[in-house]
Amino acid sequence: MTKQFEFNWRIPVPEPLQTGGVFDCWDEECGAFEPNCLVKVDEYGFFIYWKSDGREGQVLECSQVNDIRLGMVLKINDPKVLAELQEKSEQSLDTRTVTICSGLDLVNITYTPMVSRDAETAKTWFEGLRKITLNTKANNVCPMTQLKKHWMKLCFMVNPSGKIPVRSITRTFASGKTEKMIMTCLKELGLPSGKFDEIEPSAFTFDKFYELYHKICPRSDIEELFKELSGDRAFITVPKLIDFFNERQRDPRLNEILFPFYDRSRIMSIIQTYEQHPEYVTKEWFSMDGFCRYLMSDENAPVFLDRLDIYMDMDQPLPHYFINSSHNTYLTGRQFGGRSSVEMYRQVLLAGCRCVELDCWDGRNEDQEPIITHGKAMCTDILFKDAIQAIKETAFVTSEYPVILSFENHCSKLQQYKMSKYCEDILGDLLLKKPVEGCPLEPAVPLPSPNMLKRKILIKNKRLKPEVEKHQLELFQKGISEIQDNELGEDPNILPANVDGEEGPLNDLDPTGPNTDTEAHPELVIGKTDSSNSDPDIEAKKSSLKISNKKMEDMLKDDAPEGSLTADEEQMLLHSYHYTSATTNIHPYLSAMVNYAQPVKFQGFDVAEERNLHFHMSSFNENTGLGYLKTQAIEFVKAIAGYHQHSSCFETILCDSLPVFEVVKWSLIKSIWWATPTLNSEPSYNKRQNSRIYPKGGRVDSSNFLPQIFWNAGCQMVALNFQTPDLAMQLNQGKFEYNSNCGYLLKPDFMRRPDRTFDPFSESPVDGVIAAHCSVQVVSGQFLSDKKIGTYVEVDMYGLPTDTIRREFRTRVVPNNGLNPVYNEEPFVFRKVVLPELAVLRIAVYEETGKLIGQRILPLDGLQAGAGAGGGADTRVVRPGGASGDRGARVDEGACPAAERAAGEVNGGGSPAAACGT
């Protein structure tokens, strides 16, 4: 950077965690019990590590830790282990246990209980670990710090005698070099080098590791640049450095007053910081080592590092933000026959999501507890109250900004009242029950801002008309009104006028009658029907399913495995499945808790504009617009009158940049969400109120649609299946990693201002926005895999249709080298990026077989210009550069040594895969 920037990624590690404590540890995977472990956390907060006498050192990476809980999450079935733990203290196990939850994705979670001697120690560690984990900034540290992190891990993974096995070091570099070569390098450094030798941790300093790294992985790419600048001398002079930094490092977009050009003083500051030879500092020279250290520093991060903090204006109305949103949050896998889990609410919220979905149904047991499940789809159940408790505990750990609970409510009024009480009693003051001051629920009044709603939970559920709600609530509180579902059914003049349905009433359910369709598992009722009195239609449905009653019951048990249905059974169930809309018979107590997220049936943009109620919102299936296109084509033609000039190139743009099935969805967006016929029109729908998009029902495998197409249209809540780490989720998590992963991203100015219009299909630059030119050169990679495999790199861009380029730029395959492949490709050029604010780069590393190793999402408008270098595990760097207003990027890909982690990671924008460029 022109100005020196201090990247404060470190969270101070409490002293008791650095000093260490004695715990009894339990390994869930192998069932091993390890008593009397000395557990510590390093000074940087990278690792939780422990060792006991006669055992190898164990390491848990904090970046893989999803949650810290006080109490025993797992049940220990070994009576001997349980007895030993209980004998060590009179205090209960729950008060003495800290459970570490970790994993490479949001579904497959490993629980590591650590039992202390007393409750006070457990509480200290719980609070300390909660403080330092979920540090997303630590995932963006510079390559030099990542090398240090890798060295630290080697030092912690000692053998039973407390020494570092040489084999551990050879394995680190085995994906690209032979064991003999690595041992020769160790010998040259004066370290033990035999296959069965051990190294004292005190002898294996970071300087030794850094020297070993450069011996094994020489940076020929950096050497070439250094020779160019030095003229084949051993140093670069200050005048040469000034030219290099101003012409090739400095971002031409920066203001010259706020970010002045590099001068002698700034260059000397860089030399004094990174040059290790005092003589060179005195002579004002920069050596190859100092140059490399600079390129691998935080000053060469891929993005402006301040964007990892809250850098956006958080005082705008809610509809002015993209909101990180989840669909069918409770499911761990498929939509049919899948398993529901309370844990998913924890994991999704901790990952930064701010809108979660709860499909609520009447419980089947005698206790009449409301449940959450995918109704009529043979998915398992969880208790509503357990989900609310999990939401309370994790809602504001990652972000303090508001959480929206999207209820799909199928419950009877009795169980709706239970739902309301659970929300009220468990959430307490976190629940927003009344509008905030200054933002009444009145026409033309904007919604409050995220800052105004900090640490508040909003309920999205259908609501009664205010006057009816008030009357019913008064009767209920006086005890006059009974909680019955047929209470209002006798008066057909009341209910239809009282509630707008998000999806509209069911075709086979009288909306003025009692809400009787509250059974989440009619398949069990079908299975137990008395054939002598059964309905022929039910019997036909039962016959068509061809699934035994016992299998149905087994699949709905809590411990049922994922994917119990065969492909044929799933298809039969899908064909017989009938979506049941949420109930329109709302309990007034629940209705009164709804405020700024009131779902209404979408009746057209003209109706929404006429009502001008900012707190109304509608949800759209990804394919819902197709129906509108078929039945209201004339209205759509009127709406898109201002866009006809683009129709000739529209299909061509989409077919070139997106799969064919996306063209239809782009057509939908063009026709609906951003239709602005004239410059004098009123503010469009998504500038005024929220819209939510969710996957179509046919996605039984829980796959996702590409969210970018709906972000381009200004849709705030693009709800995805978080359990599926596909491309769509990678884009979602990569985008929301910025702004401190708070779950809210301010939309571009032209998407918010009522006096601005925006055509998401324009090929011309937006008024006031300068189009960008981006050039990406993939040079080399570091630590891409722990296997000796061939690799290649793909570079894609996602944004407006005209800016989206997929599967066009790909490097050659470098065979048999997962350690430090050199690609040295010609630049991949994105010649004209119309709207940089909405564009992102995706850099992905693949095995030669096509298997993903790792990927990284980078916002185009946040990329820093210049050259950079990277090396080591978990590096995350990309370099844009250029002059005269152009953007270029020479990219050197780097990822963590573990391919499994890189491919499985979803948090923080995908894998730890990185790019470092020179």
Side-chain angles (χ1 to χ4, degrees), residues 435-441 445-448 452 596:
V436 298
E437 185 177 351
C439 296
L441 300 178
V445 177
L447 296 187
M452 295 174 70
Y596 296 121

Side-chain angles (χ1 to χ4, degrees), residues 526 536-547 552 572:
I526 293 172
D537 291 338
I538 291 180
E539 284 299 311
K541 188 174 183 179
K542 174 184 174 182
S543 175
S544 68
L545 285 177
K546 296 181 181 178
I547 304 174
M552 288 182 185
M572 291 176 186

